[in-house]
Amino acid sequence: MSSPTDRKGRLLTYVGALQEAVSQEMDRDPSVFVMGLDVVDHKGIQGSTQGLPERFGPDRVFHTPLSEDAMAGVAIGAAMAGMRPIYVHIRMDFLMLCMNQLINIAAKARYMYGGQVSVPMVVRSMIGKSWGQGAQHSQGLHAMFMHVPGLKVVAPATAYDAKGCLIAAIRDNNPVIFVEHRLLYFTDAYVPEESYTVPFGHARVCTPGDDITIVGISNMLVEALRARELLTEVGIHAEVIDPISLVPLDSETIVRSVARTKRLLVVDNAWTTCGASAEIMARVIETLEPRELRAIRRLGFAPSTCPTTPSLERLFYPNPASIASAAHAMVRPEADRWEPSAETAALAYQMNFRGPF
Amino acid sequence: MPRTSRRAAKTPSKDDIARLYRGLFLIRRAEEEVEHVYPSDKIKSPVHLAIGQEAVSVAICDALRPDDVLGCTYRSHAAYLAKGGDLGAMMAEMYGKATGCARGKGGSMHLVDMQHLLLGASAVVGTGIPIAAGYAIALKREKKRRVAVTLFGDGATEEGCFYETLNFAGLHKLPLLFVCENNFYSIHTHISKRWSNLDVCGRARAFGVPAKQIVDGDIFKIRAAAAAAVDRIRRGGGPEFLEIHTYRWRQHVGPGGDYDAGYRSEREARKWMKSDQVARLAAMLASATRVRIEDEVNAKISEAIAFAESSPFPGPEDLLADVFAD
Ligand SMILES: Cc1ncc(C[n+]2csc(CCOP(=O)(O)OP(=O)(O)O)c2C)c(N)n1
Ligand SMILES: [Mg+2]
């Protein structure tokens, strides 16, 4: 199997990786099809479904009416019938309309029907951020799905993992909630041309370090890696881990790291209460002896609805400076509070997204 | 002052025309101003412009009493202004300022003005429809003959909650007017690619809800139909449904057109631009009247922009305010 550090293939954007994964799987397996609002229009979900309608035709790539609830059921039924639907949503917030079908049928069908059926479907959705996405276009709701047995949940943060995870998700015989992030779409990485899978349940140590373990989920992996750069300025070396899949969750890799660094900071692109960050922390605490842990903390959305005004949105999200500052306080509790200088912190910010959408 | 259906049915008076023109011109100019400011990046918000669709909101609101309730969608500027929403607070909201109608926390997609009974807009398509029905329950119980109106797009009629609300409103004879602003598109997809049957009025009638269709965008026809429906609803007749054809001139979200995108033709749009109600009513007015209205509106818009520009941003203490009610 290839790995992202092989630098094999070519530089490809996250969005290109998604498109390529679906395209290759549709070539390989005629039971794979794509449905969702706007998957066939000229924008093609920011390009992630572009070219598919022309290539595979209207039976295999089709627009749905604005009927998320029923369409979720349709996808589930088709999956039970042996097809492999990929049901696409431009925002994760809209999955709330699919909740009944996803939670009460998709997650449970295999179990409550005694193993007679399976639901091999992928539900793609994107978390939005900035430019006033606000209350209903920016929610990271992956924890809601993690809560319910029977659903797999993956949140790849790089183009390499986007392709490999999406292929793995399509081939998986279970419903997979595939979590994407708007700001990751145009990040790039070396992505092999050929088909490959990134198996679920294997966290990736992105950068080694001895002082603290930082786990970054989805887009927060990118922010955590930038925080790590800032921390090197003050001689702190963070080990940054990407869980990649949240269900199944590879807590072993995280525990192994924390056993060494004795400090864990989990940064999620979501609220912390009952969140993925809470789950990761709980697993670590359940596994390690108290003396093996010196500091443990999580960062996520502020406990409010996402405000649209930039003056508050800035405070709503963790950012490289706030992550670095929190990590510093955990590693050097005695020292004065440290924050990277404004200029270096500004350099570490993710390129700002300019609207209108 | 309540307006009766009788008055609306008559040929429009000079006052009617002037009042409607003021409403149309205000919305058109306000949105043009938003477009004008947009490239400066001072408005960091997705804006869904209603340019071309103003007549629907203006005519519907003209048939309402100030104490009636209106719910709308993320394409909310027209409905907000037509219902009497404060222009300065709208501009400030788009600028993300503390003086905005939602204190800078909602942006263009969530305009609200409870003082003028403009229910907060939602960006999740269809969600506003049952909310308006909930208001209608409260209004029915209050027995003051107030009416609730829910404005929504053609796309919203594809959501289950649309049908569920039609059924419920019909069952309970709620004082609720459903208004479908059919601009034929949900983002870039035409209704012919989304609807198995284009007769949306028939769908309402299947629930026992009387329905009427207006296809030419004529503001006086819309106003007469709305006034007649509202009058019957006020008298306890139960919910009604209006399907009003209209056309979005700009792209789905953001400033400017998108006729080069390929999903619709400029030719299709031209038909609607030719019957533009703003230009039509302007031509019906004496030029002195028209100029006076336009000057007043333009002054109001400059004032609103200056207000938005000079208002402060919310401070850090506002982040956690209003998560819960006291
Ligand atoms: C439940 C839901 N699904 C999808 C979307 C994405 N979306 C935003 S606006 C829109 C189009 C809705 O069309 P319509 O109701 O006709 O209103 P219009 O934009 O034409 O005013 C869609 C699909 C959404 N906001 N909410
Ligand atoms: Mg529409």
Side-chain angles (χ1 to χ4, degrees), chain A residues 37 68 94, chain B residues 74-75 123 125 153-156 159 183 185-187 252:
Chain A
L37 275 162
E68 289 86 351
F94 307 153
Chain B
Y74 52 87
R75 197 176 301 289
V125 176
D154 44 290
E159 293 289 0
N183 63 9
Y185 291 90
S186 162
I187 310 189
H252 168 71

Side-chain angles (χ1 to χ4, degrees), chain A residues 37-38 40-43 63-69 93-94 97 130-137 302-313 315-316 354-357, chain B residues 38-39 41 43-46 93 96-97 104-107 109-110 122-125 155 158-159 186-189 193-194 251 253-254 261 263 313-316 318-320 323:
Chain A
L37 275 162
D38 311 311
V40 302
D41 76 11
H42 60 284
K43 298 217 167 149
H63 178 93
T64 56
L66 274 118
S67 308
E68 289 86 351
D69 178 11
D93 313 68
F94 307 153
L97 283 84
S130 84
W131 206 265
Q133 299 289 302
Q136 300 171 333
H137 281 64
S304 72
T305 292
C306 178
T308 43
T309 181
S311 77
L312 297 182
E313 197 193 54
L315 307 173
F316 179 78
R354 191 161 175 274
F357 208 62
Chain B
Y38 211 72
D41 289 356
I43 296 176
K44 291 186 178 61
S45 175
E93 187 59 36
K97 297 298 181 75
K105 289 175 169 179
M109 300 194 287
H110 303 295
S122 166
V124 182
V125 176
E158 290 149 35
E159 293 289 0
S186 162
I187 310 189
H188 311 119
T189 309
K193 294 180 182 150
R194 296 156 26 223
Q251 54 178 332
V253 57
Y263 71 93
F313 280 105
D318 292 322
L319 180 64
L320 299 184
V323 174

